[in-house]
Amino acid sequence: PRGVHGQISIWKNELVTPAQALVKADNPFTRKHAEVYVDYQARLAKAGAMDFDDLLMKTVQLFREHPDVLAHYQQRFQHVLVDEYQDTNMAQNELALSLAAESGQVTIVGDGDQSVYGWRGADVRNILQFEEAFDDVTTIVLDQNYRSTQTILDAANAVIRNNPDRKEKHLWSDKGGGDRIMRYHAEDEGDEATFVARSMQNLQRDAHVMWKEMAAFYRTNAQSRVLEESFMRFGIPYKVVGGTRFYDRREVKDILAY
């Protein structure tokens, strides 16, 4: 079910109707998905309901089929501003371009080198081809980085230089060279957490860095548990900022008590 739902979501992001999906189906697998899509959409309509992707797709269809409605909203929204444009899908792109077609007053912010949501329908071509969508476009390149040292930016430049069909830019910083980058290829999450804890322990022992001067950043909340276990094993005092320590959570305390 999750796979079928994902495919239906991609079709809707690409503005493909159930009928079009059936026509495009070129093997039994995609045809079955298309048949489910037809039935799914019919049941939504019967219930007077929409799913999340319909909110975009139905709006675009409304604007396509009823120019008077589009004209009304073009007048209502005189200026259109869109952030993270590299992560927009086809439906979002058409929505923005349609609303701004009359006034031409549209401002987008984004970075084609940071497009990472292709798996959920984002199309980096939207930002790369934006300058072709309007006659008079002003592009302002924000290439100065205020957070990182030049060593980090040099590494980033070396990586993103390999991206195909990109807009050329060179990231720079006035923060100086900074320390060399350390890279560690961990076997798994446990090995990664052990490496982090051991590195902190070495900094505290050898360089006399205080615990309160160290921080471990992680991408998702689910990663905190393995780091916390590693800190406890190494005797490192810690606190979770913006959340509750794993073993202080009520449900975890209940399970441990049982």
Side-chain angles (χ1 to χ4, degrees):
R2 180 174 296 188
V4 178
H5 182 265
Q7 179 58 60
I8 291 174
S9 180
I10 289 173
W11 274 326
K12 290 187 177 186
N13 289 336
E14 294 176 351
L15 302 174
V16 176
T17 65
Q20 291 170 333
L22 272 176
V23 172
K24 291 175 65 174
D26 54 2
N27 62 66
F29 192 68
T30 54
R31 181 164 188 82
K32 175 56 70 177
H33 282 187
E35 289 170 353
V36 174
Y37 183 18
V38 171
D39 189 39
Y40 171 67
Q41 207 60 25
R43 294 190 189 199
L44 279 175
K46 187 176 181 180
M50 293 188 188
D51 65 13
F52 187 75
D53 296 305
D54 280 333
L55 299 179
L56 287 170
M57 184 176 183
K58 294 294 184 183
T59 304
V60 172
Q61 288 177 341
L62 180 67
F63 287 170
R64 283 178 174 180
E65 298 168 7
H66 299 276
D68 57 319
V69 176
L70 173 59
H72 168 78
Y73 285 102
Q74 286 174 335
Q75 288 297 313
R76 180 174 177 181
F77 301 114
Q78 292 290 311
H79 297 270
V80 179
L81 297 91
V82 188
D83 194 16
E84 303 289 9
Y85 208 80
Q86 76 279 356
D87 293 330
T88 56
N89 56 41
M90 183 185 291
Q92 291 167 324
N93 182 58
E94 182 163 339
L95 197 60
L97 298 186
S98 297
L99 287 171
E102 188 67 26
S103 67
Q105 299 292 340
V106 56
T107 299
I108 69 164
V109 181
D111 182 1
D113 290 322
Q114 293 189 47
S115 182
V116 294
Y117 288 109
W119 55 273
R120 70 179 190 195
D123 191 340
V124 69
R125 290 175 298 180
N126 293 342
I127 192 169
L128 296 179
Q129 298 172 2
F130 181 81
E131 291 166 295
E132 303 168 12
F134 295 92
D135 295 330
D136 185 21
V137 176
T138 300
T139 301
I140 302 171
V141 179
L142 304 174
D143 52 0
Q144 182 178 2
N145 187 294
Y146 299 92
R147 183 168 54 188
S148 301
T149 60
Q150 192 60 48
T151 299
I152 293 173
L153 297 180
D154 287 344
N157 284 322
V159 172
I160 64 179
R161 195 177 295 125
N162 297 293
N163 289 352
D165 305 321
R166 62 185 294 265
K167 300 283 186 180
E168 185 61 37
K169 62 178 176 294
H170 185 78
L171 307 176
W172 63 278
S173 170
D174 59 7
K175 287 185 172 294
D179 296 335
R180 295 180 65 185
I181 296 171
M182 179 188 293
R183 176 180 176 273
Y184 181 73
H185 190 153
E187 293 291 330
D188 53 30
E189 59 184 17
D191 183 27
E192 179 182 59
T194 299
F195 169 76
V196 171
R198 185 174 289 122
S199 298
M200 292 175 126
Q201 191 180 58
N202 292 341
L203 280 171
Q204 194 268 343
R205 183 187 63 229
D206 302 333
H208 307 294
V209 178
M210 299 176 69
W211 295 124
K212 67 179 181 180
E213 296 176 314
M214 302 183 210
F217 291 86
Y218 47 89
R219 182 72 176 174
T220 60
N221 289 333
Q223 290 176 276
S224 76
R225 182 182 63 83
V226 66
L227 282 169
E228 290 184 59
E229 289 177 347
S230 191
F231 290 159
M232 287 187 288
R233 194 166 67 250
F234 279 80
I236 297 175
Y238 71 92
K239 68 176 180 180
V240 178
V241 179
T244 306
R245 292 172 19 149
F246 181 79
Y247 290 99
D248 287 345
R249 295 172 189 169
R250 186 174 64 180
E251 64 275 21
V252 177
K253 283 185 171 182
D254 286 346
I255 291 170
L256 289 174
Y258 280 119

